[in-house]
Amino acid sequence: MTFYFTGIRSFPKLWKSNSYLGLSSSHFYLSLFLKDCYGIRSQEKWFSVKTMSAQNTKAMNLLIAKARCVRKLDEGSNKQVSADSSHMFAAGAAKKRSQMNPSSKAPVLPPVKNIIQLPTKPLNSEEWDKLKEEFKEKANFENWIILQMVKSRSSLDVAKSVLAWVATKNNGIVGYDLLVKYLYLCVFHKQTSEIIDVYEIMKARYKRLESGAYTLLIRGLMYTDRWREALLLLEDLKKVMIPSKKNYDDCIQGALFHQDVNVAWNLYQELLSHDIVPMLETLKAFFGFGKDMKDDQYLNKLHNILLYLRNNQLYPGESFAHSIKTWFESIPGEQWKGQFITIQQSGQCLGCGKTVESIHLSSEEYEFLKEKIMRDVIDGGDQYKKTTPQNKVKIGSLKTVCSFYGIPFS
């Protein structure tokens, strides 16, 4: 046992003093802070020691005897703990500790998983009923089994037998969630007739769909004879939200597939008006469609796409780059020749010898940016009195931009 004495500077002075804290010489107290150090066990105690007069020597002897007994117990415990701590990581130590300190809580068993092998061929109603009996959570069997089919991209015939089984039990009605999951499989397997059947059912039963169903129907209908109905679905989706870049991509590629260039370009401009960065696959489709085409108006639009890539620092992948190269080389009456080369560290092109444009600001561009921000942003008095809290956040962002480029902002 180790003793830590706190708050005492001079022990001889303390012991020789005749009075301490207003007490007589025969009665004064000494407070000691004691700490047991056993390696992995730490206990802290406060003790008060009181001097005893001659008539209390009997009581004092009794206290000394008790103290000796406690000391022996502590020493034995110290040896045991030290021996245990040295073998804390020995083989079987964890088991011994668990037996010495049994947990009051019952062990938590892992949840029982439903292990059912998905059928590889369509099943009839009796077979589906039998399979459901083997399922632990029978109330969720239909949703669970169709979800597993979606994850494993099961055959459409097997999934269709699930819907037929559910319909026989529910007076010919199949729930919305099951229809959407089945629609996903139809789109994945590109089964046009099934996509149209599901579309007719959902159109007759539901006035509005959620975004996932709209996305699947648009993608599934765009390559059918009813592709213009997909554009109507896009309009319905616009009433509740801004369509995603994937929705626009499906519609643009479908319009180009059906040779309606004007619809494709209008959708592209609409996409940009929402400040949505188009998918590179969308831009690639325009270049693929323009191959061998002699149309100045279409040519200018493709040049604008190239400028859009440059100005927004969008870098085409290898497939898109091949499409651009093929388009340039296919322009009638022009002798373009493209090749894939490696740009040197200096930025010089080994093919044409020109230097690739740098993304760093030149001195002229820096001055232009500085004057633009000073004139359009900073000038005009106290911005915080004229703006909303939302605009104040924008001003804070502009301060960050200015500090990055070394432009003073006050």
Side-chain angles (χ1 to χ4, degrees), residues 326-346:
T326 302
W327 170 74
F328 268 108
E329 294 175 343
S330 70
I331 299 176
E334 300 190 18
Q335 301 296 324
W336 288 99
K337 182 63 178 177
Q339 58 180 325
F340 289 90
I341 52 91
T342 301
I343 302 297
Q344 292 183 340
Q345 189 69 26
S346 61

Side-chain angles (χ1 to χ4, degrees), residues 86-111:
S86 63
H87 299 285
M88 181 180 294
F89 299 102
K95 184 177 180 180
K96 291 180 180 179
R97 287 195 297 271
S98 64
Q99 292 174 350
M100 294 175 61
N101 300 308
S103 177
S104 60
K105 296 183 180 179
V108 179
L109 297 177

Side-chain angles (χ1 to χ4, degrees), residues 210 218 334 370 396:
E210 45 86 29
I218 290 172
E334 300 190 18
K370 177 181 177 180

